[in-house]
């Protein structure tokens, strides 16, 4: 294989596929990228056996071929080259060379035949979604997904697709985020979508990679679902991922109903007050006592050193005094996900979960369980 490629084209493509490569590998080949060159295109592929990302870059192909090169070293080399330079990449036998100007780098390779490729079954569902819709679904829910929970089905985002809407849900057992989006009529009848929703659990790493890549994706992206795999076509980039197996809990049962008490709070004032009081909260549990009183909200924190912080802001609330303990970080995450300037909190007492929503955003629901302080 012998190609010439502009640094301004190579580096973005390497950054796209390199994100999936872990620093520590169980197999040496997983530390490499698969490079395939023909017909004026360089195709790059990286994988960790759970997720696979492929991207393309325009290049001059002198000799077509396929090879693998170390992902991080190749990316660092491309990043170190001056803007506007060309890189000549040549792979022969067990050695690869990268030449640019007076700079020359020799890299070890591994056989391209050993590079693992994920099998993608024929899709059962194919749907085109606005990039901004998919970005919103993931951005506003992913913060609530579990991290390395033994309940493996919580380590990701539930994506629920039907003929007219998409729902994303994430929970770690202490909080829950649910966002609903309406799908347009651009999808054909043979998309595989039915009125009965199709549910899949997208792994946490795949969710984070998609969030990273969607910003530079075209306006429309294609989502393909099969029994055990998800494929997202982002134009020059394709993401293939295994799905988390298991039954996701019924999220509707987690969202409390009949919450008779409602408070309206300025989002930015609440965020600032929480950030101030969190300074003296318990570093491990990050708890804050929130007391709803007529016309005002009291916030109190303390730590094992008996240090205390108190703050107070005005709110719209008319009812009896109720004190609830919340994790400060959980509330701040919700406030970051809310676009509206005013947040509505519906609650019952100190023992029940509270529902948080931006005013006018009925399709976004955030649930936070109380904590004992």
């Amino acid at each position: 294989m012998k190609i010439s490629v502009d640094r301004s084209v190579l580096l973005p493509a390497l950054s796209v596929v390199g994100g999936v490569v872990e620093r520590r590998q169980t197999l040496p080949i997983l530390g490499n990228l698969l490079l395939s060159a023909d017909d004026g295109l360089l195709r790059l592929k990286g994988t960790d056996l759970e997720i696979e990302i492929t991207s393309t870059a325009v290049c001059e192909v002198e000799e077509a071929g396929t090879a693998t090169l170390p992902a991080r070293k190749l990316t660092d080399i491309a990043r170190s080259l001056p803007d506007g330079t060309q890189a000549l990449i040549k792979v022969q036998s067990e050695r690869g060379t990268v030449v640019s100007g007076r700079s020359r780098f020799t890299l070890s390779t591994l056989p391209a035949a050993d590079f693992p490729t994920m099998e993608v079954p024929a899709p059962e569902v194919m749907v085109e979604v606005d990039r901004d819709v998919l970005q919103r679904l993931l951005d506003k829910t992913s913060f609530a997904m579990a991290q390395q929970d033994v309940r493996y089905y919580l380590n990701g985002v539930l994506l629920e697709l039907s003929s007219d809407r998409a729902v994303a849900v994430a929970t770690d057992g202490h909080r829950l985020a649910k966002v609903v989006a309406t799908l347009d009529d651009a999808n054909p009848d043979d998309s595989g979508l039915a009125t009965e929703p199709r549910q899949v659990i997208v792994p946490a790493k795949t969710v984070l990679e998609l969030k990273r890549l969607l910003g530079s994706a075209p306006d429309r992206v294609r989502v393909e679902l099969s029994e055990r795999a998800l494929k997202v076509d982002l134009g020059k980039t394709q993401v293939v991922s295994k799905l988390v197996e298991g039954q996701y809990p019924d999220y509707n049962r987690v969202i409390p109903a009949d919450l008779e008490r409602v408070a309206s709070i300025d989002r930015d004032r609440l965020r600032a007050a929480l950030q101030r009081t969190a300074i003296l909260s318990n570093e491990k549990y990050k708890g804050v006592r929130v007391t709803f009183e007529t016309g005002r909200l009291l916030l109190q924190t303390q730590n094992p050193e008996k240090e205390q912080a108190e703050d107070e802001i005005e709110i719209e609330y008319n009812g009896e005094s109720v004190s609830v303990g919340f994790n400060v970080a959980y509330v701040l995450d919700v406030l970051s996900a809310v676009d509206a300037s005013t947040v509505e909190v519906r609650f019952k007492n100190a023992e029940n979960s509270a529902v948080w929503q931006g005013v006018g955003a009925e399709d976004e629901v955030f649930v936070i369980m109380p904590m004992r302080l």
Side-chain angles (χ1 to χ4, degrees):
M1 185 180 78
K2 185 177 181 182
I3 63 170
S4 179
V5 57
D6 193 278
R7 184 236 188 214
S8 63
V9 175
L10 177 63
L11 183 57
L14 287 170
S15 300
V16 165
V17 298
V20 76
V21 179
E22 300 286 352
R23 290 191 177 275
R24 295 183 179 180
Q25 300 292 344
T26 54
L27 298 172
I29 193 70
L30 297 180
N32 281 20
L33 297 178
L34 179 67
L35 282 69
S36 304
D38 61 22
D39 296 331
L41 280 180
L42 172 65
R43 294 175 178 84
L44 303 100
K45 181 182 294 184
T47 184
D48 66 355
L49 299 181
E50 298 295 323
I51 176 176
E52 175 184 282
I53 299 180
T54 305
S55 191
T56 59
V58 177
C59 68
E60 294 182 11
V61 180
E62 296 185 36
E63 294 180 14
T66 303
T68 74
L69 289 173
R72 298 196 181 280
K73 292 176 182 176
L74 184 59
T75 303
D76 288 344
I77 289 171
R79 188 177 289 119
S80 70
L81 298 177
D83 291 337
T85 57
Q86 289 275 326
L88 177 65
I89 301 176
K90 183 178 180 180
V91 180
Q92 281 185 328
S93 301
E94 298 179 357
R95 290 291 169 185
T97 57
V98 180
V99 179
S100 181
R102 297 182 179 181
S103 302
R104 181 184 180 89
F105 307 87
T106 302
L107 299 171
S108 61
T109 70
L110 291 172
D114 294 345
F115 193 88
T117 300
M118 293 178 61
E119 294 184 8
V120 184
E124 301 169 4
V125 170
M126 289 188 293
V127 56
E128 286 197 357
V129 184
D130 282 346
R131 174 197 63 199
D132 294 341
V133 168
L134 186 56
Q135 183 98 57
R136 171 174 166 262
L137 289 170
L138 299 180
D139 282 348
K140 290 178 176 288
T141 57
S142 58
F143 69 86
M145 61 187 177
Q147 303 291 332
Q148 299 181 332
D149 197 296
V150 293
R151 298 165 294 181
Y152 55 90
Y153 47 83
L154 298 183
N155 298 322
V157 170
L158 176 73
L159 187 61
E160 185 179 279
L161 295 174
S162 60
S163 57
D164 58 349
R165 72 174 196 163
V167 182
V169 181
T171 180
D172 60 6
H174 303 285
R175 53 182 170 168
L176 178 143
K178 173 191 171 187
V179 176
V180 180
T182 301
L183 296 181
D184 56 32
D185 299 326
N187 290 293
D189 294 336
D190 60 356
S191 64
L193 291 175
T195 304
E196 190 69 23
R198 169 70 182 271
Q199 291 188 348
V200 295
I201 305 174
V202 185
K205 183 174 181 178
T206 304
V207 171
L208 297 178
E209 287 298 324
L210 285 173
K211 287 175 58 179
R212 180 175 70 91
L213 298 173
L214 278 168
S216 57
D219 292 341
R220 301 279 291 180
V221 300
R222 188 171 73 236
V223 179
E224 299 180 7
L225 298 179
S226 58
E227 185 178 356
R228 296 183 179 179
L230 163 77
K231 180 179 179 180
V232 183
D233 191 330
L234 305 170
K236 292 183 179 180
T237 302
Q238 290 79 42
V239 178
V240 177
S241 171
K242 292 181 179 179
L243 296 171
V244 178
E245 297 183 15
Q247 182 65 41
Y248 206 81
D250 184 358
Y251 57 83
N252 288 313
R253 296 180 60 182
V254 180
I255 302 174
D258 301 324
L259 302 175
E260 63 268 21
R261 296 184 172 90
V262 182
S264 295
I265 311 171
D266 183 275
R267 181 196 60 186
D268 293 337
R269 288 184 180 180
L270 177 58
R271 180 192 284 122
L274 285 169
Q275 290 171 338
R276 287 192 294 267
T277 53
I279 295 171
L280 296 183
S281 65
N282 186 308
E283 292 184 3
K284 183 177 181 181
Y285 299 107
K286 288 291 183 182
V288 58
R289 184 178 302 281
V290 178
T291 302
F292 297 89
E293 295 185 353
T294 299
R296 67 174 186 166
L297 184 73
L298 305 178
L299 300 98
Q300 299 170 303
T301 59
Q302 65 177 20
N303 57 35
E305 289 75 35
K306 304 299 181 182
E307 297 170 327
Q308 297 180 338
E310 295 182 0
D311 213 320
E312 176 183 325
I313 59 174
E314 295 180 356
I315 63 173
E316 291 184 19
Y317 174 68
N318 188 12
E320 64 181 71
S321 177
V322 177
S323 291
V324 188
F326 289 116
N327 184 306
V328 175
Y330 291 176
V331 179
L332 289 174
D333 283 342
V334 167
L335 297 180
S336 296
V338 169
D339 296 324
S341 59
T342 303
V343 178
E344 188 176 84
V345 186
R346 301 200 307 273
F347 58 98
K348 185 175 183 180
N349 51 41
E351 286 75 40
N352 292 81
S353 299
V355 172
W356 299 66
Q357 286 180 290
V359 172
E362 287 76 15
D363 55 352
E364 300 175 7
V365 177
F366 306 100
V367 180
I368 304 178
M369 290 181 62
M371 62 184 299
R372 295 184 179 275
L373 296 177

